[in-house]
Amino acid sequence: MSSSIPEGLIVELSRAKVKPGASGEADKWMKMLNDRIDECVATLDRERMAIEIVFRLREGEDDYLYWVQVRGKNGAGLDESLPIDRDHIAQGRRTKEPGWVEAEPQVLMLPEPVRKAVLDWALR
């Protein structure tokens, strides 16, 4: 782990390839998350998720989803008893190839007020 990333803080960049022919499903997934953003944000507290961002990259015939997460290690995972998490998991199964490719974090740069807010939220 990088020395700029405090103990207990998880900083992730994960990539998943969209299944061939499933770009429309990826559109539906991202629309669902945007349309239900209040439900999504409501899950972040129990997950100790300070930052979660989804990017999409299309390269030729390939379509990828990238997840950026900054969270505390003691956060909960997805909870299938919650409708948004259940729908999120189901849409992921329809859309992406199984598994994730994980990048290794190197440096975390946050100005002090943001760093304090992220650590207070994620590590409490």
Side-chain angles (χ1 to χ4, degrees):
M1 181 186 300
S2 165
S3 62
S4 64
I5 300 172
E7 183 68 31
L9 192 68
I10 297 171
V11 178
E12 294 179 319
L13 170 62
S14 307
R15 181 187 76 194
K17 187 172 185 181
V18 174
K19 292 177 180 178
S23 287
E25 288 296 324
D27 294 339
K28 289 179 190 174
W29 191 7
M30 296 303 107
K31 182 176 181 343
M32 178 192 73
L33 295 176
N34 274 291
D35 288 350
R36 297 170 68 183
I37 195 68
D38 291 342
E39 284 178 85
C40 293
V41 170
T43 69
L44 300 181
D45 183 40
R46 72 176 167 70
E47 295 172 351
R48 294 296 179 255
M49 189 76 64
I51 299 167
E52 185 170 13
I53 305 166
V54 182
F55 290 89
R56 189 165 176 186
L57 177 66
R58 294 177 185 101
E59 289 185 318
E61 298 296 314
D62 295 326
D63 196 358
Y64 298 93
L65 295 170
Y66 290 80
W67 245 262
V68 175
Q69 297 183 351
V70 178
R71 61 187 170 85
K73 72 177 181 181
N74 294 324
L78 295 172
D79 179 352
E80 290 195 66
S81 71
L82 298 173
I84 188 63
D85 283 359
R86 187 172 47 249
D87 294 347
H88 181 51
I89 291 167
Q91 191 63 52
R93 287 184 181 130
R94 287 191 296 274
T95 303
K96 72 174 200 70
E97 293 181 356
W100 295 94
V101 174
E102 301 288 340
E104 183 181 341
Q106 300 295 301
V107 179
L108 177 63
M109 293 178 266
L110 301 170
E112 188 52 40
V114 175
R115 183 180 180 84
K116 181 178 181 340
V118 165
L119 296 180
D120 286 351
W121 179 260
L123 301 182
R124 61 190 156 88

